[in-house]
Amino acid sequence: MNYDLLKNIGLGWLDITYIFIGILAIILILLILIIIQAVKLRKLTNKYKKFMLGKNAKNLETDIVGLYEDNKFIKVSLEKNKKDIHTLYRRLESTFQKIGIIKYDAFSQMGGQLSFCLALLDENNNGFILNSVHSAEGCYSYTKEIKEGDCNISLGDEERKALEMAMGNNEII
């Protein structure tokens, strides 16, 4: 075959069959890309139709405004909850959280461990020790103030053990 056009543009040595095969490959690639885009467009159209089902512009605006209001309410609630939690943590610092109790027999002749030492401490190891001594004549109770895990008044063995138990140093007992 003799193609004058190819000779005129300086491609006379090129066989037209190769050109057709190249063009056919490009057309095939473009056809595949068109099919892929058509599938994506159909999925997007289906999603849009499902989203807009039974809605007009007014309904859609109402829904968006409702979502915006819900979002504002959630943000306000979140801030309130953060403040409430912070307040609760502050209040919990001063509540009695640590307890230590030791029962003992103050007088060997009484029989039974009717006396006890109770240590109640907050998060900062502030609180008191209640010592209740039971004897034949009656029951006597004493308290000692604890500040930062220490007492200004000397502690008895049972009181010290109860304090250590409350502070979490159980290896002494």
Side-chain angles (χ1 to χ4, degrees), residues 102-127:
I102 299 293
K103 290 184 75 175
Y104 64 98
D105 189 5
F107 305 102
S108 300
Q109 73 274 12
M110 291 297 296
Q113 295 182 340
L114 301 176
S115 300
F116 66 90
C117 287
L118 174 66
L120 295 173
L121 303 175
D122 65 8
E123 184 176 301
N124 300 315
N125 291 329
N126 297 322

Side-chain angles (χ1 to χ4, degrees), residues 3-125:
Y3 301 106
D4 289 334
L5 178 64
L6 293 176
K7 286 181 186 176
N8 289 339
I9 59 172
L11 298 175
W13 55 270
L14 187 62
D15 189 7
I16 193 80
T17 309
Y18 295 123
I19 295 175
F20 282 133
I21 290 173
I23 291 174
L24 187 62
I26 291 173
I27 290 173
L28 188 61
I29 290 171
L30 289 175
L31 184 63
I32 290 171
L33 289 175
I34 289 173
I35 291 171
I36 290 171
Q37 291 303 319
V39 169
K40 287 182 178 181
L41 180 63
R42 189 169 69 196
K43 286 181 182 179
L44 185 61
T45 304
N46 288 340
K47 286 181 182 179
Y48 176 75
K49 286 180 182 178
K50 187 176 181 180
F51 176 71
M52 294 301 290
L53 187 65
K55 296 181 180 179
N56 55 30
K58 184 110 176 131
N59 291 353
L60 192 57
E61 180 183 357
T62 304
D63 287 349
I64 292 172
V65 168
L67 289 173
Y68 176 74
E69 292 298 322
D70 288 347
N71 192 20
K72 277 182 21 182
F73 174 75
I74 288 171
K75 285 182 178 180
V76 169
S77 296
L78 178 67
E79 288 303 315
K80 182 185 177 308
N81 289 343
K82 282 182 181 179
K83 288 178 184 175
D84 289 346
I85 288 171
H86 182 70
T87 301
L88 287 173
Y89 277 135
R90 259 195 339 229
R91 288 183 181 173
L92 280 176
E93 285 180 354
S94 61
T95 61
F96 294 127
Q97 303 173 24
K98 302 174 185 178
I99 299 171
I101 187 165
I102 299 293
K103 290 184 75 175
Y104 64 98
D105 189 5
F107 305 102
S108 300
Q109 73 274 12
M110 291 297 296
Q113 295 182 340
L114 301 176
S115 300
F116 66 90
C117 287
L118 174 66
L120 295 173
L121 303 175
D122 65 8
E123 184 176 301
N124 300 315
N125 291 329

